[in-house]
Amino acid sequence: MQKRISTVFTFLLVVALLAGCGATSQQTETTNVNVGALKGPTAMGMVKMMEDDEAGKTTPNDYTFTLVSAPDEMSAKLAKGELDIAAVPANLASVLYQNTDKQMCVLAVNTLGVLYIVENKDSIQSVADLKGKTIYAAGKGTTPEFALRYILEQNNINPDTDVKMEWKTEHAECVAALAQDENGIALLPQPFVTTAQMQNENLKIALDLTKEWDTLQKGEENPSGMITGVVVARNDFIEQYPEAVDTFLEQYHHSVEYVNDNTEDAAKLIEKFDILKAAVAQKALPYCNIVCITGDEMQQKLSGYLHVLFAQNPKSIGGAMPEEDFYYHGK
């Protein structure tokens, strides 16, 4: 009888061990994840992940990173299913959500505001000082214009009559205009601000529009934030690989921390992956507002920002405010 009990016990132990091995195998199974990002701040926070992936340190996720220069190219790759996760402009995320029948959601905010007012002199100390000035800018009809208009309006400055906007096709044209106009002012994003400063030592940052936005939001019950970029994922990928998505977010969070805490080393990686030259990246990083904000805070900041854009131009976010399922809260 004792021998029989011993045999049964051994059998049950083997079954338990096999079950345990099966569970472990499932948890560590490699998942191929295709990730895209735009060259610039939205990709800069990913460089430690990219480096770790090359060294085989991102298991159980195995990443393929694709860096592109144009948002349209990113949209096409997402629509075709060539990318599972992508860092895109905040308003584009909402447009994609609307255009794909809500088959896209936001995992995280990855870049806060990167817009700055720059000038050659020291005439601008506050938003009020912009009244009566000429401002050179690129991006008419896009988020830089909407953000600036919002900040001007909230400071009792009429953007149509109290300032003169000189719209250019490219940021480089704004810098050239500043070189010809010693009293000129420009609206520029990072890291272009740093590139321009390296060409013109007299160029100074007068206003950080992210800080101006935050000032306006003080006291609000649900304060929003100025947001440049977010990370989105296809819903079908999230449903099929929820563990891989959560692993991505954990690894991405660590990558962002590394980039912000190790500017010099991060700048070298940014050059290695052909995003920016290290010299520019090192100076620009402290002004790029690279973050990894998830969950309720992500939803609060992003929804408030999209509300502002919607009020300026509904088409800028796809014609309607996204619904609750636009915001990822884990599976």
Side-chain angles (χ1 to χ4, degrees), residues 23-32 59-62 241 243-244:
T24 303
S25 174
Q26 187 176 11
Q27 290 172 3
T28 59
E29 184 179 348
T30 299
T31 304
N32 296 318
T59 53
N61 284 359
D62 184 10
Y241 303 106
E243 295 88 357

Side-chain angles (χ1 to χ4, degrees), residues 115-293:
L115 293 172
Y116 294 83
I117 295 290
V118 299
E119 62 170 338
N120 291 310
K121 295 186 175 180
D122 292 309
S123 63
I124 307 300
Q125 307 299 321
S126 68
V127 176
D129 295 331
L130 292 173
K131 193 169 185 178
K133 303 291 186 181
T134 295
I135 304 174
Y136 301 106
K140 182 172 175 57
T142 62
T143 50
E145 179 187 6
F146 303 143
L148 179 59
R149 290 181 69 91
Y150 169 73
I151 288 172
L152 290 173
E153 289 168 354
Q154 295 301 308
N155 281 275
N156 299 313
I157 297 175
N158 187 319
D160 297 314
T161 59
D162 292 336
V163 298
K164 181 182 179 183
M165 298 299 302
E166 288 278 352
W167 293 103
K168 305 295 184 182
T169 305
E170 298 177 351
H171 300 305
E173 294 179 41
C174 300
V175 177
L178 286 177
Q180 300 296 320
D181 181 0
E182 63 177 17
N183 297 312
I185 299 163
L187 174 67
L188 292 174
Q190 285 286 7
F192 204 91
V193 171
T194 298
T195 302
Q197 286 179 314
M198 294 174 77
Q199 298 170 356
N200 179 1
E201 60 182 17
N202 295 321
L203 201 62
K204 303 177 182 67
I205 292 176
L207 297 174
D208 177 346
L209 293 199
T210 302
K211 290 181 179 178
E212 298 300 330
W213 187 293
D214 290 344
T215 297
L216 293 172
Q217 292 295 311
K218 284 181 180 176
E220 294 288 335
E221 185 176 346
N222 296 303
S224 67
M226 178 180 277
I227 296 170
T228 297
V230 299
V231 179
V232 300
R234 298 192 342 264
N235 287 348
D236 58 348
F237 182 80
I238 294 173
E239 289 165 7
Q240 188 171 359
Y241 303 106
E243 295 88 357
V245 173
D246 289 339
T247 297
F248 166 84
L249 284 173
E250 181 181 346
Q251 293 173 345
Y252 184 54
H253 179 77
H254 290 314
S255 182
V256 168
E257 282 189 336
Y258 176 89
V259 168
N260 286 327
D261 293 342
N262 302 274
T263 304
E264 185 176 350
D265 291 337
K268 292 176 183 176
L269 292 178
I270 288 167
E271 178 169 323
K272 173 183 175 179
F273 292 109
D274 196 29
I275 299 170
L276 278 177
K277 292 294 185 183
V280 176
Q282 187 170 343
K283 291 184 177 182
L285 270 171
Y287 302 97
C288 285
N289 290 318
I290 294 170
V291 295
C292 182
I293 300 173

Side-chain angles (χ1 to χ4, degrees), residues 88-91 106 108-115 143 147 210 213-214 224-231 289 291 293 297-306 309 327:
V88 301
N91 69 307
V106 176
V109 169
N110 76 339
T111 317
L112 298 177
V114 295
L115 293 172
T143 50
T210 302
W213 187 293
D214 290 344
S224 67
M226 178 180 277
I227 296 170
T228 297
V230 299
V231 179
N289 290 318
V291 295
I293 300 173
E297 184 182 0
M298 173 260 290
Q299 181 170 350
Q300 175 184 297
K301 286 182 178 294
L302 179 55
S303 63
Y305 176 70
L306 294 176
L309 296 187
Y327 306 96

